[in-house]
């Protein structure tokens, strides 16, 4: 069904198995699945930093996207992985606001993730990296609109409203659509 063995190993965080598949059996670790997701993004999504480092050491760029436009940074934000988000921005030159008109800007991904949401990445993107709360996704929604509409994450909504209030842009954000 278009999913390679290295993808399964990366998804599961099985570095030893991935190394065996790649180094011993010469199976490419760079082939994306049928959704266009390369194994490295599955590893990021699962929080498997050791696998990410291994794949990066094999030549896998972290600047890859899925068919839907998900990047390493949006996957790390969606997984609420503060350390990976910091690494990608500080060491891999990722833009904390994402790419213009992207389907899933990092702050949007952090605020609407249904997995492990704790608001840590949203706070990091806003406070440390000055992510722009006014950035809109490809559907012209702000992160606040997505947080309310898609997941109803009250903690995300609270973080975003507090930040907008402190930045003096609450009226602009509330009427952004």
């Amino acid at each position: 069904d278009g999913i390679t063995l290295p993808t399964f190993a990366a998804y599961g965080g099985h570095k030893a198995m991935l190394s065996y598949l790649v180094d011993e059996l010469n199976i490419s670790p760079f082939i994306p699945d049928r959704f266009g997701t390369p194994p490295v993004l599955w590893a990021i999504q699962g929080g498997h930093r050791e696998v990410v480092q291994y794949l990066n050491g094999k030549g896998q760029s972290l600047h890859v996207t899925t068919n839907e436009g998900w990047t390493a940074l949006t996957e790390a934000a969606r997984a609420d992985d503060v350390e990976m988000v910091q690494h990608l921005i500080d060491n891999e030159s990722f833009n904390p606001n994402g790419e213009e008109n992207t389907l899933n800007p990092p702050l949007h991904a952090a605020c609407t993730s249904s997995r492990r949401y704790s608001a840590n990445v949203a706070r990091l993107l806003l406070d440390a990296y000055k992510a722009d709360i006014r950035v809109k996704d490809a559907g012209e929604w702000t992160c606040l609109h997505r947080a309310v509409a898609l997941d109803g994450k009250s903690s995300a909504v609270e973080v975003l409203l507090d930040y907008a209030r402190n930045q003096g842009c609450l009226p602009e954000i509330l009427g952004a659509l």
Side-chain angles (χ1 to χ4, degrees):
D1 63 10
I3 301 176
T4 66
L5 293 176
T7 295
F8 279 110
Y11 176 75
H14 307 296
K15 182 185 173 261
M17 177 55 70
L18 182 60
S19 177
Y20 172 74
L21 294 169
V22 173
D23 298 331
E24 300 298 322
L25 300 181
N26 296 314
I27 299 174
S28 173
F30 309 125
I31 300 170
D33 63 19
R34 67 176 181 247
F35 305 107
T37 307
V40 71
L41 291 186
W42 284 110
I44 289 171
Q45 192 180 101
H48 306 300
R49 285 187 207 95
E50 187 176 270
V51 171
V52 173
Q53 290 171 341
Y54 170 78
L55 290 168
N56 195 232
K58 288 291 181 183
Q60 173 66 66
S61 171
L62 298 180
H63 290 272
V64 292
T65 59
T66 67
N67 293 343
E68 293 85 26
W70 289 91
T71 66
L73 184 56
T74 53
E75 289 291 1
R78 187 164 72 149
D80 201 42
D81 189 337
V82 170
E83 289 179 32
M84 182 59 73
V85 167
Q86 288 174 314
H87 171 77
L88 292 170
I89 294 172
D90 293 343
N91 302 311
E92 302 292 336
S93 302
F94 276 83
N95 179 346
N97 288 312
E99 301 308 315
E100 189 169 328
N101 223 19
T102 187
L103 179 62
N104 293 298
L107 189 55
H108 290 59
C111 292
T112 58
S113 174
S114 59
R115 296 177 291 155
R116 302 185 294 252
Y117 182 75
S118 68
N120 292 330
V121 168
R123 284 190 188 99
L124 175 75
L125 289 169
L126 291 167
D127 296 337
Y129 296 108
K130 306 301 180 213
D132 188 349
I133 195 170
R134 296 168 296 211
V135 166
K136 294 181 180 180
D137 62 16
E140 294 295 310
W141 289 19
T142 67
C143 53
L144 179 60
H145 290 96
R146 274 191 56 189
V148 169
L150 297 181
D151 290 318
K153 300 289 186 204
S154 60
S155 54
V157 172
E158 290 170 18
V159 166
L160 295 170
L161 289 174
D162 286 345
Y163 185 83
R165 190 177 303 110
N166 292 338
Q167 296 297 310
C169 63
L170 186 57
E172 179 184 352
I173 294 301
L174 292 176
L177 287 181

